[in-house]
Amino acid sequence: GAGVSQTPSNKVTEKGKYVELRCDPISGHTALYWYRQSLGQGPEFLIYFQGTGAADDSGLPNDRFFAVRPEGSVSTLKIQRTERGDSAVYLCASSPSQNSPLHFGNGTRLTVT
Amino acid sequence: DQQVKQNSPSLSVQEGRISILNCDYTNSMFDYFLWYKKYPAEGPTFLISISSIKDKNEDGRFTVFLNKSAKHLSLHIVPSQPGDSAVYFCAASAASGTYKYIFGTGTRLKVLA
């Protein structure tokens, strides 16, 4: 079946612009996670949804970052006033329930120039 | 505060021999641990997991060992194959928390033919 799909696969934007990153989880998966991975580092937790609600957003670095999952399926990560330090690979993952292995997408590589 | 640590950034092993990847954690509330493999330009792929009620879990060539008193887990791959060359991440979560997974920084395994 289809895995986790992330679009776009690459995004180049100028400093100060707004970007949206999209994640289509595996059908039926109730849990959805966003992570950020910088070069040479492990995935860094950003936010976790259980259904439509954000169960834990403690990893969002500041108020420029926001994520939604309005219908409990597709999620969008939104970054306002992008900075060069936001450049990273943004990974989305879903799982059928809490405390189940995560299934990752291939990520969106964001480059802020 | 790095709650999950992989102190070896890289490891080289001869084909057919055993690969041992190590992971340490500091949070005693962690009770579910996973190993992921990552190839370049792809998302992490789930390999094997272990619950804190066990000290060993085996799946084919992959075995994970958990030592709760030492807060240490390891992944054994035997026999190692060239296709195992990838970056390996360990991750941990706590059922008493919000089920977010904390990842280590990864170990790059190179299996030499």
Side-chain angles (χ1 to χ4, degrees):
Chain A
V4 176
S5 175
Q6 291 189 246
T7 53
S9 54
N10 280 284
K11 176 72 178 177
V12 180
T13 191
E14 291 181 349
K15 179 176 178 297
K17 299 289 189 184
Y18 167 83
V19 296
E20 289 190 353
L21 312 179
R22 177 187 168 104
C23 174
D24 279 275
I26 293 172
S27 178
H29 281 194
T30 58
L32 186 146
Y33 297 75
W34 283 99
Y35 283 82
R36 174 170 73 173
Q37 186 172 20
S38 301
L39 197 62
Q41 300 297 314
E44 173 194 7
F45 172 79
L46 295 178
I47 186 170
Y48 150 54
F49 289 89
Q50 182 60 35
T52 60
D56 187 336
D57 65 358
S58 63
L60 294 177
N62 52 59
D63 61 6
R64 295 187 298 105
F65 289 74
F66 190 69
V68 295
R69 194 186 185 199
E71 297 177 359
S73 177
V74 170
S75 176
T76 305
L77 178 65
K78 308 179 181 195
I79 310 174
Q80 298 177 322
R81 304 183 304 279
T82 51
E83 299 177 356
R84 292 195 181 90
D86 298 335
S87 297
V89 175
Y90 289 80
L91 294 163
C92 177
S94 68
S95 71
S97 62
Q98 294 173 334
N99 236 26
S100 297
L102 304 184
H103 300 258
F104 281 88
N106 286 335
T108 293
R109 180 175 295 280
L110 175 67
T111 303
V112 182
T113 62
Chain B
D1 176 28
Q2 189 70 25
Q3 296 186 66
V4 179
K5 302 176 186 179
Q6 293 177 256
N7 292 319
S8 298
S10 64
L11 174 69
S12 290
V13 171
Q14 207 64 36
E15 181 180 6
R17 307 296 274 271
I18 185 170
S19 295
I20 300 176
L21 297 109
N22 294 302
C23 179
D24 297 290
Y25 60 96
T26 58
N27 188 340
S28 58
M29 300 302 291
F30 286 149
D31 55 11
Y32 185 55
F33 305 87
L34 309 92
W35 283 95
Y36 282 82
K37 176 168 76 172
K38 187 180 183 303
Y39 294 120
E42 294 183 10
T45 303
F46 169 70
L47 272 178
I48 192 168
S49 64
I50 188 166
S51 163
S52 61
I53 61 173
K54 293 185 171 183
D55 53 19
K56 176 182 173 181
N57 190 25
E58 194 170 350
D59 183 1
R61 296 185 298 114
F62 302 91
T63 303
V64 56
F65 295 92
L66 175 62
N67 182 333
K68 289 186 287 293
S69 61
K71 295 193 182 67
H72 177 84
L73 64 155
S74 60
L75 175 68
H76 292 211
I77 307 172
V78 56
S80 301
Q81 300 173 353
D84 296 330
S85 297
V87 179
Y88 289 78
F89 294 97
C90 64
S93 72
S96 60
T98 59
Y99 296 98
K100 69 184 182 187
Y101 292 85
I102 306 299
F103 282 77
T105 52
T107 296
R108 181 177 299 278
L109 174 66
K110 188 170 184 178
V111 180
L112 307 168

